[in-house]
Amino acid sequence: MSTPTTEIDLRHTRGLTADPGATRRGSAGRWWALAVLMMPVLLVSIDNTVLNFALPAISEATQPSGTQLLWMVDIYPLVLAGLLVSMGSLGDRIGRRKLLLIGSAGFGVVSVVAAFTPSIEGLIIARAALGFFGAMLMPSTLSLLRSIFTDRDERRLAIAVWATGFAVGSALGPIVGGVLLEHFAWGSVFLIAVPLLLPLLVCAPLLVPESRDPHPGRIDPLSIALSLVTMLPIVYGIKAVAENGLSLVGLAPVVAGLVFGVLFVRRQKRLTTPLLDMTLFRRGAFSGAVGVNLLSVTALVGCLFFISQHLQLVLGMSPLNAGLVLVPGLGAMIVAGLLVVPVARRVRPSIVVPLALTVSASGFALIALSGGQIDAGGLALAFVLLGVGIGAAETVSNELIVASAPAEKAGAASAVSETAYELGAVLGTAILGTILTASYRSNVILPDGLTAAQQHSAGETLGGAVTVASQLPTDAAAQLLDSARHAFDSGVGVSAWIGVGLVVSAALVGAIALRRAR
């Protein structure tokens, strides 16, 4: 009788449940489990980019107001970011595989509902529900890798593969979206979830071992509420600043969120079993890796924000061709994430991460030095450099996040990593997007004879200028487009220099905070 008891106790020490099948899974079984866990990763990354291509068709079919369309886009990341920490801790308590299966089933059902929803109000509700179930997916996948791959070298490779899933999905998003919308209705972009999640629901119980915190403690509803009212207003406020500039509408929610954040932290320090163990942040490897992720994702998303517009609105490329320009960079990100694994076995993270991010900084510098006057080939090269550095750095930083946290707290630690990603995505659009918009507004010169509505539209964004130009005589249209494109590119140069600063800051964080990490 002693052997089974010892076996279970040892498994609990690693933060795993007594899963009888887990002891029979060999090396091949672990990699099959990784293949299963890649399905939600691909889904989330594809979903992040594919919806943008369906917005014109959705607008035509549902006739939303500008505010309704904005909420339809924004409600998903708002709910997702607000719930990540809560869901990560919930997975530690009830089981990470169980939470992954619940989230996958819910995400799939709501995706089908969204595909056939006839109204914009229904789509907003469906997108909020997708954010709720989506928050169950990503922390679960990363924390399950922590329990499946106990050998650190294997785990580093597994996390490299996991991280490349985002790059693959991001590359596939524009291509899949373009193909679907060319042949099917806009609802098809939501139905992508079904073929990815059905195999997960079948295979995960067979191939992925369950894991949880063996001593989870009770769930604290007040902590969950505080985490929500911390993240939701902060993310909303940042988005409002990005849309409307500095104003009370944007700053007040951020201040409110920070106040609730202080209350959340104070409560976690008092609880015996907190929703989020704040002592994790005392570990230099953990907090430093989270900082690297936050800053590098901010730079990457901000770069995509202006690159995608430059390719389509300045260089006149179709969405599909613009997406193809980015594919080499995404491929470089994948390759770099895999090749850094053997390097990271021998070289300290405080050396690998800064060196990798220096390559990314050179990509931003290439755009900045051009002053925004850069062709598709130059942007492709810049994005390759960006992808090489960030792909390598994030493989190392993600592995450090899960390795430096206790196994029983893997869900909460993974949720913090995902929250950094979400905040980085929002900040990238807010910081670089705001700078780009401000530069455009101050430099664009509008031709005479425009209506008040046309002046407002063309004076706000490059996309608005392109739309207005299609309504003007040839000479006036050419004059407006030339001015708008030069105004936009002047902002691209400034934004690229900000990108250099963000990536260099991430490199400094890595060099200082990770110096004791091995």
Side-chain angles (χ1 to χ4, degrees):
M1 296 295 290
S2 61
T3 302
T5 304
T6 304
E7 197 172 348
I8 292 172
D9 289 342
L10 287 172
R11 204 175 291 121
H12 276 178
T13 303
R14 298 196 306 267
L16 301 173
T17 58
D19 179 3
T23 58
R24 296 192 298 270
R25 295 182 179 93
S27 178
R30 292 194 292 276
W31 295 107
W32 279 113
L34 173 63
V36 172
L37 294 177
M38 290 305 299
M39 294 175 188
V41 174
L42 285 170
L43 171 64
V44 171
S45 57
I46 290 174
D47 196 60
N48 281 340
T49 56
V50 75
L51 182 66
N52 291 328
F53 289 85
L55 290 180
I58 291 174
S59 298
E60 185 178 347
T62 61
Q63 297 296 308
S65 67
T67 302
Q68 287 176 323
L69 189 64
L70 187 64
W71 272 109
M72 195 272 293
V73 174
D74 287 348
I75 192 67
Y76 174 80
L78 284 173
V79 174
L80 184 72
L83 286 171
L84 279 169
V85 171
S86 298
M87 290 302 183
S89 295
L90 183 63
D92 289 339
R93 287 164 166 80
I94 71 170
R96 294 148 193 159
R97 185 183 67 183
K98 179 186 292 185
L99 189 69
L100 177 64
L101 292 173
I102 293 170
S104 300
F107 200 99
V109 170
V110 175
S111 294
V112 174
V113 172
F116 299 100
T117 297
S119 67
I120 190 63
E121 293 84 3
L123 270 178
I124 292 172
I125 295 171
R127 288 275 292 169
L130 287 173
F132 175 80
F133 289 110
M136 301 180 185
L137 301 180
M138 298 313 297
S140 297
T141 59
L142 188 55
S143 56
L144 282 166
L145 291 183
R146 173 70 172 84
S147 60
I148 294 170
F149 292 91
T150 55
D151 178 78
R152 187 161 186 181
D153 286 338
E154 281 192 349
R155 183 169 65 240
R156 190 178 288 117
L157 179 58
I159 289 175
V161 174
W162 176 89
T164 62
F166 286 104
V168 172
S170 299
L172 288 176
I175 298 170
V176 171
V179 171
L180 286 177
L181 293 169
E182 189 172 336
H183 297 93
F184 303 102
W186 59 264
S188 60
V189 300
F190 291 100
L191 294 178
I192 296 172
V194 177
L196 284 171
L197 292 179
L198 281 179
L200 171 69
L201 292 169
V202 173
C203 298
L206 301 175
L207 296 171
V208 179
E210 181 61 285
S211 71
R212 62 168 62 89
D213 184 346
H215 308 292
R218 68 182 183 88
I219 296 175
D220 181 41
L222 182 56
S223 291
I224 294 175
L226 284 172
S227 70
L228 273 172
V229 295
T230 296
M231 293 303 304
L232 285 175
I234 288 176
V235 175
Y236 174 80
I238 293 171
K239 284 183 170 289
V241 169
E243 291 291 328
N244 307 308
L246 292 175
S247 67
L248 187 61
V249 175
L251 294 178
V254 173
V255 173
L258 292 174
V259 170
F260 284 117
V262 172
L263 296 176
F264 174 80
V265 171
R266 292 180 64 181
R267 182 165 183 81
Q268 302 317 295
K269 290 181 176 180
R270 292 197 303 267
L271 293 175
T272 306
T273 53
L275 182 71
L276 178 61
D277 186 356
M278 303 308 297
T279 60
L280 288 173
F281 292 95
R282 297 177 187 170
R283 303 168 186 236
F286 180 85
S287 56
V290 169
V292 167
N293 277 358
L294 175 64
L295 291 167
S296 58
V297 170
T298 299
L300 177 63
V301 172
C303 177
L304 286 171
F305 178 79
F306 65 71
I307 280 183
S308 60
Q309 293 187 74
H310 182 90
L311 289 170
Q312 295 180 64
L313 300 177
V314 176
L315 300 183
M317 301 180 72
S318 68
L320 181 58
N321 288 335
L324 292 175
V325 170
L326 302 181
V327 169
L330 294 166
M333 190 180 296
I334 295 170
V335 172
L338 296 175
L339 292 182
V340 79
V341 173
V343 175
R345 293 173 185 165
R346 298 173 177 83
V347 184
R348 284 180 173 274
S350 58
I351 298 174
V352 173
V353 170
L355 285 178
L357 291 173
T358 300
V359 178
S360 292
S362 69
F364 270 112
L366 179 62
I367 300 172
L369 291 171
S370 74
Q373 305 292 319
I374 188 168
D375 60 14
L379 283 177
L381 174 59
F383 199 64
V384 166
L385 295 172
L386 192 67
V388 167
I390 289 180
E394 289 193 354
T395 293
V396 177
S397 61
N398 278 312
E399 197 278 331
L400 283 173
I401 287 171
V402 296
S404 59
E408 65 273 12
K409 303 296 181 185
S414 301
V416 171
S417 174
E418 293 304 318
T419 302
Y421 271 99
E422 290 300 320
L423 277 178
V426 173
L427 286 169
T429 303
I431 295 173
L432 299 188
T434 299
I435 292 169
L436 193 62
T437 301
S439 179
Y440 174 84
R441 289 172 179 168
S442 62
N443 286 288
V444 66
I445 300 173
L446 303 179
D448 296 330
L450 300 184
T451 66
Q454 288 175 329
Q455 288 178 359
H456 175 76
S457 180
E460 287 291 311
T461 64
L462 176 58
V466 171
T467 301
V468 170
S470 66
Q471 306 163 3
L472 300 178
T474 304
D475 291 343
Q479 179 186 346
L480 174 60
L481 287 177
D482 184 65
S483 172
R485 286 167 176 164
H486 278 91
F488 180 84
D489 282 345
S490 68
V492 168
V494 175
S495 298
W497 282 120
I498 301 296
V500 171
L502 287 168
V503 176
V504 169
S505 298
L508 291 173
V509 169
I512 296 169
L514 305 181
R515 63 186 183 277
R516 295 182 180 178
R518 294 183 179 275

